[in-house]
């Protein structure tokens, strides 16, 4: 998920919401980001922060569906495409470099490929790779279709 000034060419969703405003909402809701920031995009380290769930609410004909964001993704492997299992999303809180808040500067809101600038990152296995994540054909509405993104604390795993 990126702001419209972000890397829209490699995004699943883009938004008009300013990353800075979303950051304020996270902080007001007491989400805790990471103190240990990743060294760079594609870092092999697993990002830390509060566990969250990212859902997409989409009008599909007469019905409204609410699905995990990963249902619109596949892992592309040599053996063929595989459905993405439930993902571990974390609120990292992005980072500041000098006076710049990187999420705001880059437009990066949620990253599937580790990105220290993003507010939300993928803590699932494979998050260090940009070569396995692809849009699942036939699941995503056409470009320009409005959807609602729901971000909430993850349910504790049993």
């Amino acid at each position: 998920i990126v702001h419209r000034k972000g890397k829209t060419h490699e995004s699943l969703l883009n938004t008009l919401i300013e990353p800075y405003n979303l950051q304020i909402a996270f902080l007001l809701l007491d989400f805790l980001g990471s103190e240990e920031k990743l060294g760079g995009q594609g870092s092999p380290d697993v990002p830390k922060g509060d566990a969250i769930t990212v859902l997409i609410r989409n009008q599909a004909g007469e019905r409204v569906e609410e699905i995990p964001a990963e249902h619109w993704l596949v892992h592309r492997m040599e053996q063929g495409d595989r459905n993405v299992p439930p993902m571990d999303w974390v609120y990292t809180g992005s980072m500041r470099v000098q006076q710049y808040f990187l999420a705001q500067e880059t437009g990066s809101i949620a990253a599937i490929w580790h990105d220290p600038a993003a507010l939300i990152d993928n803590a699932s296995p494979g998050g260090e790779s940009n070569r396995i994540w692809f849009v699942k054909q036939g699941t995503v509405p056409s470009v320009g279709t409005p959807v609602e993104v729901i971000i909430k604390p993850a349910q504790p795993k049993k």
Side-chain angles (χ1 to χ4, degrees):
I1 303 171
V2 298
H3 181 271
R4 67 177 178 192
K5 71 178 181 186
K7 299 177 190 174
T8 58
H9 64 284
E10 60 184 42
S11 68
L12 178 61
L13 300 169
N14 68 66
T15 183
L16 298 175
I17 294 172
E18 295 285 342
Y20 179 79
N21 293 335
L22 188 55
Q23 172 76 336
I24 297 298
F26 275 118
L27 295 175
L28 289 172
L29 292 169
D30 275 342
F31 281 82
L32 296 175
S34 177
E35 293 292 323
E36 302 168 31
K37 302 303 181 184
L38 298 177
Q41 230 177 349
S43 171
D45 298 325
V46 177
K48 307 277 190 259
D50 280 352
I52 61 172
T53 300
V54 180
L55 302 170
I56 300 171
R57 185 176 292 150
N58 178 40
Q59 183 85 33
E62 291 293 314
R63 72 184 204 289
V64 174
E65 61 181 3
E66 193 171 289
I67 60 167
E70 56 267 25
H71 284 200
W72 282 359
L73 302 171
V74 293
H75 278 157
R76 184 144 300 150
M77 310 295 234
E78 288 181 18
Q79 306 85 357
D81 290 352
R82 293 192 180 153
N83 288 331
V84 174
M87 292 182 64
D88 297 321
W89 296 103
V90 293
Y91 164 71
T92 60
S94 187
M95 61 189 288
R96 289 176 52 101
V97 174
Q98 296 171 1
Q99 74 271 22
Y100 300 104
F101 178 53
L102 288 189
Q104 185 68 26
E105 293 299 311
T106 64
S108 190
I109 293 173
I112 197 155
W113 177 45
H114 294 173
D115 182 356
L119 291 170
I120 299 167
D121 209 335
N122 170 15
S124 304
E128 72 284 351
S129 175
N130 67 346
R131 300 183 185 277
I132 62 171
W133 307 98
F134 291 86
V135 174
K136 186 177 190 178
Q137 298 300 316
T139 62
V140 179
S142 53
V143 173
T145 303
V147 299
E148 185 176 339
V149 176
I150 301 161
I151 301 167
K152 60 185 184 178
Q155 297 297 321
K157 293 185 179 182
K158 296 179 181 181

